[in-house]
Amino acid sequence: MPVDGEAMRVGDGADEPGWEVDPDDEWGVAVITTVGRQLKLRRESVGMRVADFAAAMGYGEDLAYKVEAGHRIPRPEYLEKADEVLGAGGLLAAMSEDVAKVRYPKKVRNLAKLEAQAVEIGLYSNHNVHGLLQTEEHMRALFDVWLPAHTEEETERMVAARLARRTVFDRSPAPALSFVQEEVTLRRPVGGTMVWRRQLERLLELGELRHVSIQVLPTGCEDHFGTGGLIEVLKFPDGTAVGRSDGAFAGRPVTDPKQLRILELRYGMIRAQALTPRESRALIEQMLGDS
């Protein structure tokens, strides 16, 4: 299934395409309100009623009202079609870029922005394969077992956001990416054997990139410095940094040099305890061979 999914047309009996607007996302609300206002003004300027517009678009009338009222985030194909129907000459379609950012939750947008600016990223994950390393099938398998259950729309939005963050691997110049994964996160067959195998293969593929280091922390490690949970440390070109850990500073992002040194010390010790990238690769290949 594609990230954006196929647009549900009139008569499908399915939910209309798009995403609900997060009321706590002030910038997102402002963007979608502006987009809705521009759509309404353009529709009215050509003398088209909502019912006629919806029919020409091939979408439900209810969706058209919601988008114009700023209550629904339209998918890119909706804006492209509206541009064509209303003869906007590309003005409506051009708003797709800002709308595409809004569809991702605010927290994820902020994280993706930091990742896009970082020159060095260190990540330790102890309960799941880190999101940047996950295959799409693995992501969906994780979201499908969440309780309380996510709606299909929520799942699609989270998957889209997580997939968008993977552009960090393709940046030029490329940032130095270091991952440490608990062995147990690689042995858990999330999504079943085939999904699990593809996830392990994905790790091997990423590990071949010159700017990516993937290390496995063996389950049998007795002196464990990662009991505080996930650690993230991002460093930027100007020498500043930001870090976060589930087990430190209430899980909040920190920029204070003293607090960052604590996170860097923990992450450094975890990396020292982990298998080397070469040893980690051999272990992952062994897991694949045993499956």
Side-chain angles (χ1 to χ4, degrees):
M1 178 186 297
V3 173
D4 282 335
E6 284 297 321
M8 303 300 182
R9 300 297 181 175
V10 175
D12 281 349
D15 188 24
E16 297 284 10
W19 295 270
E20 296 293 340
V21 180
D22 181 357
D24 295 326
D25 184 356
E26 295 180 2
W27 180 74
V29 170
V31 168
I32 299 307
T33 299
T34 300
V35 169
R37 184 179 299 116
Q38 291 301 315
L39 280 165
K40 183 178 181 180
L41 289 173
R42 189 71 189 186
R43 176 182 58 76
E44 291 177 340
S45 71
V46 299
M48 186 176 286
R49 298 182 306 164
V50 173
D52 297 330
F53 171 69
M57 288 281 291
Y59 291 97
E61 189 174 337
D62 184 57
L63 175 64
Y65 276 116
K66 287 181 178 178
V67 171
E68 289 189 359
H71 297 155
R72 194 78 166 173
I73 304 172
R75 294 179 186 267
E77 61 267 24
Y78 183 95
L79 292 175
E80 292 168 4
K81 182 67 175 179
D83 195 279
E84 178 185 334
V85 169
L86 300 176
L91 295 177
L92 296 178
M95 295 189 290
S96 295
E97 184 176 347
D98 284 336
V99 171
K101 297 175 183 177
V102 173
R103 72 181 183 178
Y104 305 138
K106 181 178 179 180
K107 179 180 178 181
V108 176
R109 282 205 314 270
N110 292 340
L111 180 57
K113 182 178 180 180
L114 291 175
E115 290 170 347
Q117 297 171 345
V119 294
E120 184 179 336
I121 302 176
L123 303 158
Y124 163 68
S125 187
N126 67 337
H127 64 288
N128 285 317
V129 173
H130 193 278
L132 287 175
L133 300 174
Q134 293 171 10
T135 64
E136 182 175 344
E137 295 88 349
H138 190 102
M139 295 175 198
R140 292 185 182 280
L142 289 174
F143 291 139
D144 283 346
V145 296
W146 191 267
L147 294 176
H150 294 301
T151 64
E152 183 176 347
E153 176 182 293
E154 290 171 336
T155 297
E156 291 303 316
R157 190 176 188 185
M158 291 185 293
V159 169
R162 189 163 292 182
L163 287 173
R165 289 173 55 204
R166 298 201 308 196
T167 56
V168 70
F169 292 107
D170 305 319
R171 277 176 43 202
S172 180
L177 293 160
S178 167
F179 297 88
V180 180
Q181 284 288 152
E182 286 284 348
E183 179 182 349
V184 66
T185 66
L186 307 185
R187 291 193 179 278
R188 186 178 299 117
V190 173
T193 301
M194 292 310 297
V195 173
W196 175 54
R197 285 185 59 85
R198 282 193 289 269
Q199 178 60 66
L200 295 181
E201 290 168 354
R202 172 68 175 168
L203 294 176
L204 294 177
E205 292 171 4
L206 291 173
E208 292 180 350
L209 299 176
R210 295 181 60 184
H211 61 292
V212 177
S213 167
I214 298 178
Q215 296 177 256
V216 178
L217 185 61
T219 302
C221 182
E222 295 182 1
D223 298 321
H224 195 329
F225 293 95
T227 54
L230 175 145
I231 295 177
E232 298 174 307
V233 178
L234 292 77
K235 299 182 180 180
F236 306 105
D238 62 359
T240 60
V242 61
R244 186 178 75 85
S245 174
D246 289 342
F249 317 117
R252 296 189 302 270
V254 296
T255 56
D256 180 82
K258 293 182 180 179
Q259 296 174 325
L260 283 169
R261 278 198 292 272
I262 292 174
L263 297 185
E264 290 179 326
L265 173 62
R266 292 182 183 179
Y267 186 66
M269 293 301 293
I270 291 171
R271 288 194 71 185
Q273 289 180 312
L275 300 177
T276 67
R278 185 183 297 272
E279 293 169 337
S280 299
R281 183 178 185 84
L283 178 60
I284 295 172
E285 290 174 338
Q286 179 186 329
M287 292 179 189
L288 271 170
D290 293 341
S291 63

